[in-house]
Amino acid sequence: MAVRRKEHAAVSRSKNLRKARRHDEATRLVEEAMKDLPGKVALLNEYGQIAFEQNRLETARQRFESAHELAPQDRYATNNLGKVGLRQQDFAAASRWYGATLDINSSDLFALTGMGQAAARSGRFDEAEEWFAKALVQRPNDRVVLNEQRLLT
């Protein structure tokens, strides 16, 4: 239980540092925690998120992939791998990872939205509209989805 508490505390402190845009401190904090607690999925995901926010996409991808290897059912890792794919304009990879999330939970709002974004950016507008419609079933007034949908018209 003490290990879980240390992991949670490190992730929580790192998130607060990220919110304050203190990414270098967050990176150091998570790296230290990873030395003490190797192979912890939450720490790998947090490190990936820090790297993503700094646009260090290869590092982010590697950390999210490591988290996914340790916990294949972790939707945070698969969704974030989809997000990396979108940022890198690798829409096939984004779709693959968001699809993996939907295999875990077919109603995951972030993955449904990501599938729509990948389809729209690939020029598959009818497919994008279908994904956004599925996302809106989950959360009818979601501003992100509604904005994405408006971009299609």
Side-chain angles (χ1 to χ4, degrees):
M1 192 59 156
V3 169
R4 181 88 173 131
R5 223 175 281 138
K6 283 176 77 173
E7 178 185 19
H8 177 74
V11 169
S12 180
R13 284 194 310 267
S14 176
K15 286 179 179 180
N16 288 332
L17 289 168
R18 281 193 294 112
K19 287 178 187 171
R21 303 232 182 266
R22 295 165 54 188
H23 292 90
D24 291 341
E25 290 176 64
T27 298
R28 284 191 297 277
L29 173 80
V30 172
E31 286 174 343
E32 283 301 313
M34 288 171 67
K35 288 178 188 173
D36 293 339
L37 305 166
K40 293 296 178 186
V41 172
L43 291 172
L44 289 164
N45 279 323
E46 180 61 15
Y47 195 102
Q49 186 61 38
I50 295 165
F52 183 84
E53 289 178 10
Q54 294 179 304
N55 211 37
R56 295 184 296 125
L57 300 180
E58 188 57 29
T59 298
R61 185 188 59 75
Q62 290 170 353
R63 294 301 181 263
F64 294 138
E65 283 181 348
S66 294
H68 175 67
E69 288 171 13
L70 290 169
Q73 298 299 307
D74 182 60
R75 292 182 300 156
Y76 190 82
T78 53
N79 271 330
N80 280 308
L81 283 161
K83 188 168 66 172
V84 169
L86 279 179
R87 174 90 49 97
Q88 292 178 321
Q89 297 184 7
D90 184 347
F91 305 123
S95 293
R96 236 182 357 266
W97 285 113
Y98 288 131
T101 300
L102 293 171
D103 287 344
I104 298 164
N105 178 350
S106 63
S107 62
D108 186 287
L109 179 67
F110 195 87
L112 291 167
T113 304
M115 289 294 278
Q117 291 168 325
R121 285 157 181 78
S122 298
R124 299 185 323 270
F125 303 114
D126 290 341
E127 180 184 339
E129 182 58 46
E130 291 174 22
W131 286 113
F132 294 142
K134 289 178 183 180
L136 289 171
V137 167
Q138 300 306 314
R139 190 176 298 159
N141 295 312
D142 188 273
R143 289 191 320 221
V144 172
V145 179
L146 291 171
N147 286 336
E148 289 286 341
Q149 212 175 30
R150 281 187 202 107
L151 293 174
L152 295 175
T153 58

